[in-house]
Amino acid sequence: MRLILLGPPGAGKGTQAKMLKEKFQIPQISTGDILRQAVKDNTELGARAKTVMDAGQLVPDDIVIGLIKERIRQGDCKTGLILDGFPRNIAQAEKLSETLQDMNLAIDHVIDLEVDEGEVIERLTGRSTCSECGTMFHRVSRPPKVAGVCDGCGGKLAQRPDDNRETIEERLKVYSESTAPLKEFYSKQGSLKTVEAKGSVEEIFSLVCEMIE
Ligand code: AMP
């Protein structure tokens, strides 16, 4: 099964992708995670990406498309994949279609997680992420058992540098200008399914599963 998760920052794409990965045993491919890892590793790519990410802008298409092409050719993607945070604009979506076509593959479902702007700001400003395993917590809705420590792996929790009010507003602007048009793009192809991303993580997960099973 090949899936794309769409939705604004804070819609829960990463959380749902991790749950889908466990359930269906297919890889989660998050361009945001790949780029953050490159920043952490101080690579040349990381250095190029960091300023753009910290400003809430999109990393240039050639970079992310290159990353995705390389990633989806790896052996573990033969059984399926979950794209989380890619594509982010029409040009990326077109390149993705071309790449998959060349490999005789196609996307089965595009799940759009819908959430309103006020909720997104509340979620992102209260969010902290494990610096080791990437699990996400929230000050109010999902507090860690021990402050600052990941329940799962004991890693240190940190706020993402782009989860501050000013950058969140920029990310939302970029989302509505560049990423939201993908809903129409995939709707025309007949693969778009919309899930109202309200309620608990588990409730949203069961709605997502209903859409794809
Ligand atoms: P995310 O973790 O998906 O919220 O992504 C964090 C940041 O990484 C974004 O705000 C962008 O700066 C960058 N990024 C992630 N995915 C993409 C993509 N597909 N195209 C361009 N930039 C991306």
Side-chain angles (χ1 to χ4, degrees):
M1 178 166 48
R2 288 172 196 86
L3 292 177
I4 294 175
L5 292 180
L6 282 184
K13 298 184 295 295
T15 303
Q16 295 298 321
K18 284 188 178 60
M19 294 167 88
L20 289 163
K21 168 185 165 183
E22 288 306 313
K23 183 173 164 87
F24 296 101
Q25 294 293 304
I26 49 176
Q28 167 199 8
I29 303 177
S30 156
T31 36
D33 285 350
I34 298 173
L35 292 166
R36 275 185 291 279
Q37 189 60 48
V39 172
K40 211 170 153 185
D41 295 343
N42 271 318
T43 64
E44 204 187 312
L45 163 68
R48 277 182 77 189
K50 187 175 175 0
T51 341
V52 184
M53 292 169 82
D54 286 351
Q57 301 288 335
L58 292 184
V59 171
D61 287 347
D62 58 334
I63 296 184
V64 280
I65 290 165
L67 288 174
I68 282 288
K69 278 188 166 175
E70 191 186 313
R71 182 65 188 87
I72 62 184
R73 290 204 160 91
Q74 288 172 16
D76 62 336
C77 294
K78 283 213 174 84
T79 48
L81 49 87
I82 305 154
L83 290 173
D84 151 20
F86 183 94
R88 283 286 234 275
N89 58 28
I90 302 280
Q92 293 181 14
E94 284 170 343
K95 278 286 173 211
L96 174 67
S97 303
E98 268 174 48
T99 306
L100 290 173
Q101 249 167 34
D102 288 348
M103 298 170 77
N104 276 324
L105 301 174
I107 293 293
D108 302 301
H109 309 282
V110 179
I111 309 282
D112 176 41
L113 299 173
E114 294 249 298
V115 54
D116 67 53
E117 208 169 299
E119 174 75 16
V120 161
I121 293 173
E122 162 59 24
R123 284 187 194 180
L124 294 182
T125 49
R127 173 164 92 166
S128 57
T129 312
C130 175
S131 47
E132 298 300 321
C133 70
T135 302
M136 276 169 272
F137 294 86
H138 188 274
R139 195 179 51 211
V140 179
S141 59
R142 197 185 175 197
K145 290 187 188 116
V146 179
V149 179
C150 176
D151 291 355
C153 74
K156 200 168 159 235
L157 301 185
Q159 195 182 30
R160 271 174 44 172
D162 56 350
D163 277 350
N164 63 76
R165 183 100 197 191
E166 196 189 327
T167 314
I168 292 166
E169 277 166 13
E170 187 58 32
R171 286 158 70 200
L172 284 170
K173 193 165 149 247
V174 169
Y175 169 79
S176 64
E177 286 170 7
S178 303
T179 313
L182 289 176
K183 291 191 253 183
E184 198 190 332
F185 180 89
Y186 286 115
S187 170
K188 279 188 184 151
Q189 295 186 5
S191 44
L192 188 79
K193 283 151 190 133
T194 302
V195 169
E196 220 188 315
K198 266 192 195 157
S200 70
V201 163
E202 291 75 20
E203 280 163 350
I204 300 166
F205 185 60
S206 64
L207 291 175
V208 170
C209 290
E210 263 174 42
M211 294 286 180
I212 60 184
E213 283 179 319

